[in-house]
Amino acid sequence: MLSYQHTYHAGNHADLLKHIILGDVVTAMQQKETPMFLFDAFASRGIYDLHSPEALKNREFDTGIGKVWPLRHANAPTGITRWFKHIEAENSDGSFARFPGSTSLLASMLRAQDRLAACDLHPQEFEGLRNSFKSSRQLALHKRDAFEALGALLPPKEKRGMVFLDPSYEDKSEYKKIAQSIIHSHQHFRAGVYVIWYPLLPAERHKELFQELKRSGIRKILRLELDCGDNFPDMQMHGSGMLIINPPWHAKQAMQTSLHWINEKLTAGSGTAYFGWLVPE
Ligand SMILES: C[S@@+](CC[C@H](N)C(=O)[O-])C[C@H]1O[C@@H](n2cnc3c(N)ncnc32)[C@H](O)[C@@H]1O
């Protein structure tokens, strides 16, 4: 049963990390002219209304975009400026009320030669996707189970691609399920760049994801993480991280710079940032 709705959480500290790093990865991949396929497997609705009762219920955006928005005109690393510009483009009134999610960010980055597929199974979320984006030759929207879609859409005809896995982890078994589906996808599409987001929660179930992937034999898995410590005591999720399989070489410096900027601005540097291999080359 799908009950998770991202609007309750949109714009929080984890969204900041995931969207900025995602932008860094795609930008680095686009240094090559060759076409690529982007797959947003757990897309949600693409754009979130931060004035909605859902978003205002816990105001999680105060821990993320709300904190950094006043800094949008200051000097910042390229990846941060790109992300601010994208939010500005969605809001003509100078606010961040229309908060772009992963599909919006990826759609804005498509070059003429690239394709994007976005998938969500939740009826309301999918309806949101359909209202925000028009299907086209370049953009396909799927109301479909992401785990099934991974098998169906990979490998892409372009032979180059980035798969973004951002599940809700509603079900505890999802950490292992994600690992297993990546292991399966990787067998068919070894060259793919896989970007996996995970939350840091007291139960520490993300370690199950790590263990499964370490055992799989897959190499080149980068881990980056921001533990915000006790900066956001009202939230159970005290931080989040991302695993990047086959990280583009050019993205490493950008991601490291983004990670440190985020830590500095969200926690005044009191959080713990980690950047290193989970499994080296
Ligand atoms: C964390 S949200 C995604 C947020 C989005 N990636 C962003 O950054 O804006 C997770 C989404 O996955 C969807 N979802 C959960 N299980 C799914 C499944 N098996 N197949 C497709 N979508 C699923 C949920 O409906 C939810 O909208």
Side-chain angles (χ1 to χ4, degrees):
M1 225 250 318
L2 291 165
S3 55
Y4 180 94
Q5 281 182 280
H6 195 66
T7 308
Y8 286 95
H9 312 285
N12 67 15
H13 59 80
D15 265 9
L16 225 81
L17 184 78
K18 75 172 78 152
H19 295 154
I20 292 168
I21 297 296
L22 191 62
D24 287 338
V25 170
V26 173
T27 302
M29 291 179 77
Q30 288 178 331
Q31 295 204 0
K32 278 195 188 151
E33 279 303 311
T34 43
M36 63 182 196
F37 174 62
L38 306 175
F39 182 21
D40 194 3
F42 298 85
S44 201
R45 57 180 50 213
I47 309 259
Y48 308 97
D49 175 6
L50 298 190
H51 284 163
S52 64
E54 291 87 349
L56 289 170
K57 184 159 185 255
N58 296 320
R59 298 184 62 94
E60 286 195 19
F61 54 81
D62 284 343
T63 70
I65 181 65
K67 258 180 119 63
V68 299
W69 191 240
L71 308 173
R72 66 192 180 282
H73 300 307
N75 266 343
T78 325
I80 311 292
T81 307
R82 177 187 51 239
W83 174 73
F84 274 139
K85 283 209 161 87
H86 181 52
I87 304 172
E88 281 177 331
E90 282 299 333
N91 293 274
S92 50
D93 60 356
S95 80
F96 55 82
R98 266 175 65 79
F99 183 74
S102 51
T103 306
S104 170
L105 177 72
L106 294 174
S108 77
M109 297 183 81
L110 286 176
R111 302 166 301 176
Q113 63 270 44
D114 300 329
R115 279 192 307 132
L116 167 65
C119 174
D120 206 288
L121 196 53
H122 193 295
Q124 242 171 293
E125 298 307 294
F126 184 73
E127 197 50 35
L129 263 188
R130 264 224 306 241
N131 290 337
S132 300
F133 307 97
K134 256 204 182 107
S135 292
S136 69
R137 181 187 59 78
Q138 276 195 286
L139 171 58
L141 304 175
H142 297 267
K143 184 169 185 287
R144 188 171 187 177
D145 176 53
F147 296 100
E148 180 266 322
L150 280 165
L153 302 183
L154 300 180
K157 64 175 192 244
E158 293 84 351
K159 307 276 184 250
R160 283 189 78 218
M162 189 282 309
V163 180
F164 180 44
L165 298 153
D166 182 21
S168 37
Y169 298 104
E170 267 180 290
D171 187 331
K172 292 181 203 128
S173 66
E174 236 170 341
Y175 294 90
K176 278 196 177 154
K177 201 172 167 187
I178 282 287
Q180 283 154 5
S181 71
I182 292 165
I183 294 165
H184 182 76
S185 300
H186 189 262
Q187 284 165 359
H188 301 281
F189 185 35
R190 281 182 191 278
V193 175
Y194 298 84
V195 179
I196 307 122
W197 176 87
Y198 58 87
L200 294 180
L201 292 162
E204 300 199 331
R205 289 199 187 274
H206 63 282
K207 291 186 176 164
E208 293 174 15
L209 172 66
F210 291 4
Q211 272 164 9
E212 292 286 310
L213 287 175
K214 276 186 185 170
R215 266 195 230 124
S216 72
I218 299 176
R219 315 289 305 171
K220 282 202 272 185
I221 310 181
L222 185 78
R223 172 181 158 216
L224 71 83
E225 206 168 277
L226 178 60
D227 185 339
C228 302
D230 52 11
N231 277 281
F232 308 117
D234 295 341
M235 284 175 77
Q236 253 217 327
M237 179 173 62
H238 56 88
S240 68
M242 296 171 93
L243 296 179
I244 299 145
I245 302 177
N246 296 327
W249 188 80
H250 289 297
K252 285 193 197 148
Q253 186 61 52
M255 292 191 289
Q256 227 166 344
T257 306
S258 294
L259 176 64
H260 286 108
W261 185 93
I262 297 167
N263 189 17
E264 197 52 50
K265 303 306 175 204
L266 289 189
T267 77
S270 68
T272 309
Y274 177 85
F275 189 93
W277 292 112
L278 180 75
V279 182
E281 299 198 39

